[in-house]
mmCIF file of all heavy atoms in Angstrom:
data_model
loop_
_atom_site.group_PDB
_atom_site.id
_atom_site.type_symbol
_atom_site.label_atom_id
_atom_site.label_comp_id
_atom_site.label_asym_id
_atom_site.label_seq_id
_atom_site.Cartn_x
_atom_site.Cartn_y
_atom_site.Cartn_z
ATOM 1 N N PHE F 385 -16.531 44.552 40.440
ATOM 2 C CA PHE F 385 -17.969 44.478 40.591
ATOM 3 C C PHE F 385 -18.302 43.115 41.189
ATOM 4 O O PHE F 385 -17.503 42.169 41.058
ATOM 5 C CB PHE F 385 -18.678 44.722 39.275
ATOM 6 C CG PHE F 385 -18.162 43.904 38.133
ATOM 7 C CD1 PHE F 385 -18.633 42.618 37.838
ATOM 8 C CD2 PHE F 385 -17.144 44.391 37.324
ATOM 9 C CE1 PHE F 385 -18.159 41.864 36.809
ATOM 10 C CE2 PHE F 385 -16.634 43.664 36.284
ATOM 11 C CZ PHE F 385 -17.155 42.395 36.005
ATOM 12 N N VAL F 386 -19.440 43.052 41.832
ATOM 13 C CA VAL F 386 -19.909 41.779 42.425
ATOM 14 C C VAL F 386 -20.862 41.108 41.445
ATOM 15 O O VAL F 386 -21.810 41.738 40.930
ATOM 16 C CB VAL F 386 -20.623 42.048 43.772
ATOM 17 C CG1 VAL F 386 -21.253 40.778 44.285
ATOM 18 C CG2 VAL F 386 -19.636 42.619 44.786
ATOM 19 N N VAL F 387 -20.610 39.853 41.167
ATOM 20 C CA VAL F 387 -21.493 39.051 40.321
ATOM 21 C C VAL F 387 -22.318 38.205 41.243
ATOM 22 O O VAL F 387 -21.776 37.448 42.056
ATOM 23 C CB VAL F 387 -20.731 38.152 39.339
ATOM 24 C CG1 VAL F 387 -21.667 37.320 38.503
ATOM 25 C CG2 VAL F 387 -19.852 39.041 38.464
ATOM 26 N N GLN F 388 -23.619 38.329 41.136
ATOM 27 C CA GLN F 388 -24.556 37.574 42.027
ATOM 28 C C GLN F 388 -25.509 36.757 41.215
ATOM 29 O O GLN F 388 -26.166 37.266 40.291
ATOM 30 C CB GLN F 388 -25.339 38.555 42.912
ATOM 31 C CG GLN F 388 -26.270 37.881 43.880
ATOM 32 C CD GLN F 388 -27.190 38.864 44.557
ATOM 33 O OE1 GLN F 388 -28.281 39.173 44.095
ATOM 34 N NE2 GLN F 388 -26.746 39.370 45.676
ATOM 35 N N LEU F 389 -25.536 35.469 41.530
ATOM 36 C CA LEU F 389 -26.496 34.556 40.905
ATOM 37 C C LEU F 389 -27.519 34.199 41.963
ATOM 38 O O LEU F 389 -27.158 33.628 42.992
ATOM 39 C CB LEU F 389 -25.796 33.310 40.384
ATOM 40 C CG LEU F 389 -26.638 32.349 39.531
ATOM 41 C CD1 LEU F 389 -26.996 32.990 38.182
ATOM 42 C CD2 LEU F 389 -25.901 31.034 39.271
ATOM 43 N N LYS F 390 -28.769 34.495 41.718
ATOM 44 C CA LYS F 390 -29.813 34.342 42.708
ATOM 45 C C LYS F 390 -30.925 33.424 42.240
ATOM 46 O O LYS F 390 -31.332 33.501 41.097
ATOM 47 C CB LYS F 390 -30.376 35.710 43.103
ATOM 48 C CG LYS F 390 -31.436 35.695 44.231
ATOM 49 C CD LYS F 390 -31.954 37.044 44.550
ATOM 50 C CE LYS F 390 -32.973 37.010 45.642
ATOM 51 N NZ LYS F 390 -33.536 38.366 45.962
ATOM 52 N N ASN F 391 -31.396 32.598 43.134
ATOM 53 C CA ASN F 391 -32.533 31.736 42.848
ATOM 54 C C ASN F 391 -33.827 32.579 43.016
ATOM 55 O O ASN F 391 -34.113 33.090 44.084
ATOM 56 C CB ASN F 391 -32.546 30.552 43.822
ATOM 57 C CG ASN F 391 -33.729 29.636 43.591
ATOM 58 O OD1 ASN F 391 -34.526 29.802 42.617
ATOM 59 N ND2 ASN F 391 -33.916 28.672 44.488
ATOM 60 N N VAL F 392 -34.597 32.667 41.954
ATOM 61 C CA VAL F 392 -35.867 33.422 42.034
ATOM 62 C C VAL F 392 -37.050 32.474 41.787
ATOM 63 O O VAL F 392 -38.156 32.904 41.467
ATOM 64 C CB VAL F 392 -35.906 34.572 41.027
ATOM 65 C CG1 VAL F 392 -34.902 35.635 41.411
ATOM 66 C CG2 VAL F 392 -35.600 34.060 39.562
ATOM 67 N N HIS F 393 -36.751 31.174 41.940
ATOM 68 C CA HIS F 393 -37.792 30.156 41.709
ATOM 69 C C HIS F 393 -38.292 29.631 43.040
ATOM 70 O O HIS F 393 -37.668 29.860 44.086
ATOM 71 C CB HIS F 393 -37.137 28.996 40.927
ATOM 72 C CG HIS F 393 -38.129 28.042 40.392
ATOM 73 N ND1 HIS F 393 -39.199 28.328 39.594
ATOM 74 C CD2 HIS F 393 -38.133 26.647 40.517
ATOM 75 C CE1 HIS F 393 -39.835 27.239 39.292
ATOM 76 N NE2 HIS F 393 -39.245 26.206 39.845
ATOM 77 N N LYS F 394 -39.401 28.951 43.038
ATOM 78 C CA LYS F 394 -39.991 28.451 44.255
ATOM 79 C C LYS F 394 -39.319 27.152 44.725
ATOM 80 O O LYS F 394 -39.496 26.745 45.860
ATOM 81 C CB LYS F 394 -41.502 28.222 44.080
ATOM 82 C CG LYS F 394 -41.833 27.109 43.100
ATOM 83 C CD LYS F 394 -43.342 26.910 42.985
ATOM 84 C CE LYS F 394 -43.677 25.804 42.048
ATOM 85 N NZ LYS F 394 -45.138 25.573 41.943
ATOM 86 N N SER F 395 -38.545 26.530 43.841
ATOM 87 C CA SER F 395 -37.857 25.301 44.186
ATOM 88 C C SER F 395 -36.363 25.576 44.253
ATOM 89 O O SER F 395 -35.846 26.559 43.797
ATOM 90 C CB SER F 395 -38.166 24.205 43.147
ATOM 91 O OG SER F 395 -39.508 23.891 43.140
ATOM 92 N N VAL F 396 -35.631 24.602 44.781
ATOM 93 C CA VAL F 396 -34.173 24.653 44.882
ATOM 94 C C VAL F 396 -33.563 24.517 43.455
ATOM 95 O O VAL F 396 -34.103 23.730 42.658
ATOM 96 C CB VAL F 396 -33.640 23.579 45.812
ATOM 97 C CG1 VAL F 396 -32.134 23.634 45.941
ATOM 98 C CG2 VAL F 396 -34.267 23.694 47.199
ATOM 99 N N VAL F 397 -32.516 25.245 43.199
ATOM 100 C CA VAL F 397 -31.782 25.031 41.928
ATOM 101 C C VAL F 397 -30.388 24.640 42.258
ATOM 102 O O VAL F 397 -29.834 24.953 43.305
ATOM 103 C CB VAL F 397 -31.820 26.334 41.071
ATOM 104 C CG1 VAL F 397 -33.210 26.607 40.562
ATOM 105 C CG2 VAL F 397 -31.262 27.505 41.792
ATOM 106 N N TYR F 398 -29.746 23.909 41.326
ATOM 107 C CA TYR F 398 -28.403 23.362 41.464
ATOM 108 C C TYR F 398 -27.512 23.957 40.397
ATOM 109 O O TYR F 398 -27.740 23.726 39.222
ATOM 110 C CB TYR F 398 -28.492 21.862 41.323
ATOM 111 C CG TYR F 398 -27.305 21.066 41.754
ATOM 112 C CD1 TYR F 398 -26.718 21.311 43.020
ATOM 113 C CD2 TYR F 398 -26.792 20.015 41.012
ATOM 114 C CE1 TYR F 398 -25.653 20.561 43.458
ATOM 115 C CE2 TYR F 398 -25.743 19.244 41.439
ATOM 116 C CZ TYR F 398 -25.155 19.542 42.634
ATOM 117 O OH TYR F 398 -24.087 18.752 43.095
#
Side-chain angles (χ1 to χ4, degrees):
F385 49 90
V386 174
V387 179
Q388 181 189 90
L389 189 67
K390 182 179 180 182
N391 179 8
V392 293
H393 191 55
K394 65 179 181 179
S395 299
V396 180
V397 292
Y398 195 47

